[in-house]
Amino acid sequence: MLCARGLGGLRARAAPLRPGRAGLGGLGAGIRARGVSTSWSPVGAAFNVKPQGRRLDLFGERRGLFGVPELSSPEGFRIAQENALRKTDLLVERARCTPPGPQTVLIFDELSDSLCRVADLADFVKIAHPEPAFREAAEEACRSIGTVVEKLNTNVELYQSLQKLLADEKLMDSLDPETRRVAELFMFDFEISGIHLDKEKRKRAVDLNVKILDLSSTFLMGTNFPTKIEKHLLPAHIHHNFVFTGDHVMIDGLHAEAPDDLVREAAYKIFLYPNADQLKCLEELLSSRDLLAKLVGYSTYSHRALQGTIAKNPETVMEFLEKLSDKLSERTVKDFEMIRGMKMKLNPQNSELMPWDPPYYSGVIRAERYNIEPSLYCPFFSLGACMEGLNILFNKLLGISLYAEQPAKGEVWCEDVRKLAVVHESEGLLGYIYCDFFQRADKPHQDCHFTIRGGRLKEDGDYQLPVVVLMLNLPHSSRNLPTLLTPGMMENLFHEMGHAMHSMLGRTRYQHVTGTRCPTDFAEVPSILMEYFANDYRVVNQFARHYQTGQSLPKNMVSRLCESKKVCAAADMQLQVFYATLDQIYHGKHPLRKSTTDILKETQEKFYGLPYVPNTGYIDYMVAWNIIYRTFILDVCSEVPNNRLINAVLVYNFCVI
């Protein structure tokens, strides 16, 4: 899942690689590869060997999260935000007093950077840190910084300092294209935030934005909570599939790959059972977004979100979705017939195809038709081998190497987080990737990329190095067994690493447009390309070898795996069209003509084809992230291209973050 912040008038977008050296609070004082005496390279060994724990260090200095000294305790978030706000006040005054010119853009970018460095870090910590006190402190920091950002987006004096620059045609023509574009982006965000309104309405816009931030956070956090029911309500013979706490069963997901139909059905109906608080939060969130859009001059929130994109308006988006759905319909029906046939073959007593069936039975069809049972592949895809493969690929393509570093005391939030330094053969250190790859209690289930700090060229000529986190949910290794990945897990790893390398290599002079802070369709191109590498035998053959015997993965196994992905592909894509269409309707004309649940039922049956299950609210992780973070397809054309890669990128951006 990609996570690039867009803080209103202080948001984001990409350009050439530049050398630079910097640290985040002294982060990474050296490049050291921690070797282990195995046949793996150092970076492979770092991920195939269970961490031994930090060396006993009773007197060593505690660095704080990501090397930020203040964040050695939850209280540090208050200090970090106070420091950022003090700097913000100084920069706002500088912007107000500085004559229009390139320096104006530099000040705006530094202002954006000072706020995002706290907000982006806190945005990650509030959902991923295992300690509630850290999560709560980070949540408060997000809210505080977010409130300030919304006020700045309607600050008339700040706006006027930028307007003077853009109004001077001769001065604008003298700027380099990158500086000119960043200035225009800052202005665009002022405009969609309501800078043109009178004082009272600007305050109303700020209040609505802050309310939306709160509702978004509440809604997203609610999607991570498991559903708890009394265990006697579930048949005893499926109890072992779930987690127990006393007399209750915790359902923490859809269990979509479970072979037992009853397990999948129970998980679906219980996990998606409508939660009154969540539904109320969603309805209030959608209503608040609509009110904000109308206040600042748009007919719907969708029109506001699509302003300035290639798609331009929601009518173009819906045209695209409807055309795509029409082109998919015949193949989707055939896919569902094939899935239904497999269910009838394995479970003739209950052959009706239900929404909880396609993920499992399509997997059975792939495995049977192409002999791609995941257990046959997993031994070749140890996590260390996959990381070694990424290292080989990046080295050959880009001249880049990954080095495992030992984090300082307090630098990481969980002991099994690995830290990688990204080093170019001639440019030197490019940035850091923190790999939060393993399952733990209360950790969100999404696979995501988080920007912790964006890159930028500082006034002293040094380059501020980017810092990112990749978050996956992989099983832990054991004493005798490394973490083994299914082909799907391996592909997800390559995808997310594509985002990370985009952040490392997508360097610009300005933080506002660094790395993945770019139009959404382009943000997905590097990660989608990485999936193609993950399915190319010329690449896979470089690293996929049996963790015990060292045998390479046979070529015919890779070929079968690639062919199998064509099975039920239309049904899979149709599901994404359903998600995207639902998003469009929710953020379209208000008041909504029906309840959100009724709209969901109607949209699912029209754009997906499988029946809606009464008393379920299909707001799962994917839909929730989509609704909150990106909401719409951005930057797509109105016609469905024939190119397979472009198709993949466009559809991905309708639906997934």
Side-chain angles (χ1 to χ4, degrees):
M1 169 215 165
L2 171 62
C3 182
R5 290 191 67 84
L7 291 176
L10 306 175
R11 8 175 257 201
R13 308 266 154 190
L17 180 66
R18 294 188 181 89
R21 300 203 314 262
L24 181 59
L27 186 68
I31 309 298
R32 296 168 297 177
R34 297 285 172 180
V36 178
S37 58
T38 69
S39 60
W40 306 104
S41 70
V43 72
F47 287 85
N48 261 3
V49 177
K50 202 172 182 68
Q52 300 302 308
R54 308 283 176 259
R55 294 188 301 274
L56 186 62
D57 186 358
L58 298 178
F59 307 105
E61 178 187 0
R62 187 175 179 85
R63 280 274 180 90
L65 291 172
F66 297 102
V68 179
E70 296 91 340
L71 300 184
S72 58
S73 68
E75 292 73 27
F77 274 103
R78 180 182 53 78
I79 299 170
Q81 82 184 38
E82 287 175 354
N83 291 341
L85 296 181
R86 274 195 295 271
K87 186 173 182 180
T88 295
D89 290 340
L90 293 173
L91 289 168
V92 169
E93 182 62 21
R94 275 182 61 193
R96 191 179 67 82
C97 298
T98 300
Q103 190 65 23
T104 304
V105 183
L106 287 170
I107 294 169
F108 268 72
D109 191 65
E110 189 174 358
L111 179 56
S112 174
D113 180 64
S114 65
L115 293 168
C116 285
R117 284 179 64 170
V118 178
D120 287 343
L121 193 158
D123 203 38
F124 168 73
V125 171
K126 75 177 184 181
I127 70 165
H129 202 288
E131 296 180 27
F134 268 100
R135 295 198 300 269
E136 290 165 10
E139 172 71 32
E140 178 56 36
C142 281
R143 189 179 193 282
S144 176
I145 296 293
T147 300
V148 170
V149 166
E150 298 307 336
K151 289 179 179 178
L152 292 175
N153 288 339
T154 53
N155 183 308
V156 174
E157 290 187 325
L158 197 59
Y159 162 74
Q160 288 173 342
S161 69
L162 185 63
Q163 188 184 43
K164 289 176 185 176
L165 171 62
L166 272 73
D168 190 327
E169 291 186 16
K170 186 176 180 181
L171 191 53
M172 284 294 288
D173 288 342
S174 71
L175 301 178
D176 64 88
E178 187 179 358
T179 301
R180 193 182 312 126
R181 179 59 177 154
V182 171
E184 292 167 349
L185 289 171
F186 278 123
M187 178 56 72
F188 173 75
D189 289 331
F190 274 120
E191 291 169 350
I192 67 169
S193 296
I195 194 66
H196 55 285
L197 302 174
D198 61 39
K199 184 176 180 180
E200 184 179 336
K201 288 182 178 178
R202 288 199 307 273
K203 183 180 184 306
R204 173 67 175 148
V206 170
D207 292 342
L208 276 171
N209 269 307
V210 172
K211 182 179 181 180
I212 288 167
L213 285 173
D214 289 341
L215 290 168
S216 297
S217 179
T218 300
F219 180 68
L220 181 59
M221 296 305 288
T223 66
N224 290 320
F225 294 146
T227 302
K228 183 168 71 171
I229 65 165
E230 296 179 14
K231 67 179 181 182
H232 70 81
L233 297 174
L234 278 182
H237 71 278
I238 65 170
H239 281 182
H240 66 279
N241 292 279
F242 305 105
V243 175
F244 282 83
T245 57
D247 292 330
H248 290 83
V249 179
M250 306 297 287
I251 311 294
D252 62 354
L254 297 178
H255 290 252
E257 304 299 330
D260 189 323
D261 285 0
L262 186 58
V263 171
R264 296 195 310 279
E265 179 180 355
Y268 187 98
K269 289 181 175 179
I270 296 168
F271 187 66
L272 298 180
Y273 190 82
N275 178 296
D277 290 338
Q278 278 288 90
L279 289 175
K280 181 181 178 182
C281 182
L282 175 61
E283 289 167 1
E284 196 172 354
L285 173 62
L286 297 177
S287 176
S288 297
R289 285 176 165 173
D290 181 69
L291 288 172
L292 174 65
K294 287 184 169 66
L295 179 64
V296 298
Y298 295 90
S299 57
T300 70
Y301 190 82
S302 178
H303 285 87
R304 179 179 183 266
L306 290 165
Q307 178 72 29
T309 67
I310 295 173
K312 296 183 180 178
N313 57 59
E315 291 77 22
T316 303
V317 172
M318 285 305 298
E319 182 184 357
F320 179 95
L321 288 170
E322 287 166 358
K323 283 185 177 181
L324 183 58
S325 187
D326 288 344
K327 288 177 180 290
L328 288 171
S329 60
E330 188 176 332
R331 288 181 57 196
T332 300
V333 169
K334 289 180 179 179
D335 283 354
F336 283 149
E337 288 174 354
M338 182 166 53
I339 295 168
R340 187 179 289 108
M342 178 57 72
K343 183 174 182 180
M344 187 177 297
K345 175 182 174 181
L346 298 181
N347 188 5
Q349 295 80 23
N350 182 21
S351 59
E352 182 183 4
L353 191 62
M354 299 300 290
W356 52 80
D357 290 327
Y360 173 69
Y361 285 109
S362 61
V364 172
I365 293 168
R366 294 184 188 105
E368 183 180 273
R369 185 173 295 182
Y370 293 99
N371 189 25
I372 57 156
E373 174 60 40
S375 62
L376 299 175
Y377 287 82
C378 290
F380 295 92
F381 293 139
S382 70
L383 177 56
C386 294
M387 293 302 297
E388 187 171 314
L390 287 163
N391 195 35
I392 293 168
L393 180 64
F394 294 148
N395 191 264
K396 290 186 175 182
L397 287 180
L398 305 167
I400 282 173
S401 298
L402 305 175
Y403 292 92
E405 284 199 5
Q406 179 70 35
K409 183 179 179 182
E411 187 178 334
V412 295
W413 50 100
C414 186
E415 195 170 80
D416 58 21
V417 173
R418 269 63 159 195
K419 176 186 174 185
L420 294 177
V422 181
V423 182
H424 189 267
E425 59 190 5
S426 60
E427 304 277 358
L429 181 61
L430 300 182
Y432 293 97
I433 303 170
Y434 288 83
C435 301
D436 186 356
F437 283 174
F438 301 102
Q439 298 167 347
R440 62 175 177 270
D442 299 325
K443 181 180 177 181
H445 289 196
Q446 298 91 356
D447 291 347
C448 318
H449 163 275
F450 290 86
T451 296
I452 302 300
R453 184 181 68 186
R456 71 184 180 102
L457 191 64
K458 298 190 292 186
E459 285 191 87
D460 62 7
D462 278 348
Y463 198 84
Q464 176 174 290
L465 297 180
V467 177
V468 304
V469 173
L470 293 189
M471 190 165 71
L472 306 177
N473 278 272
L474 304 177
H476 286 272
S477 60
S478 64
R479 177 174 294 182
N480 300 315
L481 190 71
T483 294
L484 302 180
L485 278 59
T486 65
M489 290 175 182
M490 184 270 286
E491 192 172 284
N492 279 358
L493 171 62
F494 270 62
H495 177 100
E496 298 302 336
M497 191 59 80
H499 286 311
M501 295 310 296
H502 189 176
S503 292
M504 297 295 110
L505 294 168
R507 295 193 161 196
T508 56
R509 183 185 312 171
Y510 301 103
Q511 179 268 164
H512 195 60
V513 291
T514 187
T516 56
R517 291 173 172 171
C518 61
T520 312
D521 55 350
F522 185 72
E524 291 301 329
V525 169
S527 53
I528 296 292
L529 282 173
M530 287 299 295
E531 292 184 26
Y532 279 74
F533 284 121
N535 291 289
D536 190 311
Y537 183 72
R538 293 167 296 178
V539 175
V540 175
N541 185 52
Q542 298 289 315
F543 69 89
R545 61 185 191 274
H546 199 284
Y547 76 98
Q548 288 177 316
T549 66
Q551 173 195 355
S552 294
L553 181 67
K555 186 174 183 178
N556 69 329
M557 288 181 69
V558 178
S559 299
R560 293 201 308 269
L561 185 64
C562 292
E563 283 298 309
S564 73
K565 293 182 180 181
K566 299 174 184 177
V567 175
C568 302
D572 290 343
M573 191 175 290
Q574 191 71 57
L575 180 62
Q576 305 304 317
V577 172
F578 156 49
Y579 287 157
T581 306
L582 179 66
D583 229 357
Q584 290 295 309
I585 296 170
Y586 278 172
H587 293 91
K589 188 176 180 180
H590 276 243
L592 296 173
R593 53 190 173 76
K594 297 181 179 180
S595 71
T596 54
T597 301
D598 286 341
I599 291 171
L600 175 108
K601 175 180 183 295
E602 182 181 276
T603 308
Q604 179 175 331
E605 291 176 348
K606 180 179 178 180
F607 284 92
Y608 187 41
L610 294 185
Y612 168 77
V613 179
N615 294 317
T616 61
Y618 206 114
I619 305 297
D620 72 356
Y621 298 116
M622 186 179 295
V623 181
W625 278 78
N626 188 31
I627 286 172
I628 286 180
Y629 281 113
R630 202 53 82 185
T631 311
F632 306 101
I633 177 169
L634 305 180
D635 306 333
V636 304
C637 58
S638 60
E639 295 295 326
V640 182
N642 293 321
N643 183 282
R644 184 174 169 226
L645 171 61
I646 299 300
N647 264 329
V649 173
L650 293 184
V651 175
Y652 191 90
N653 282 292
F654 270 115
C655 322
V656 185
I657 286 303

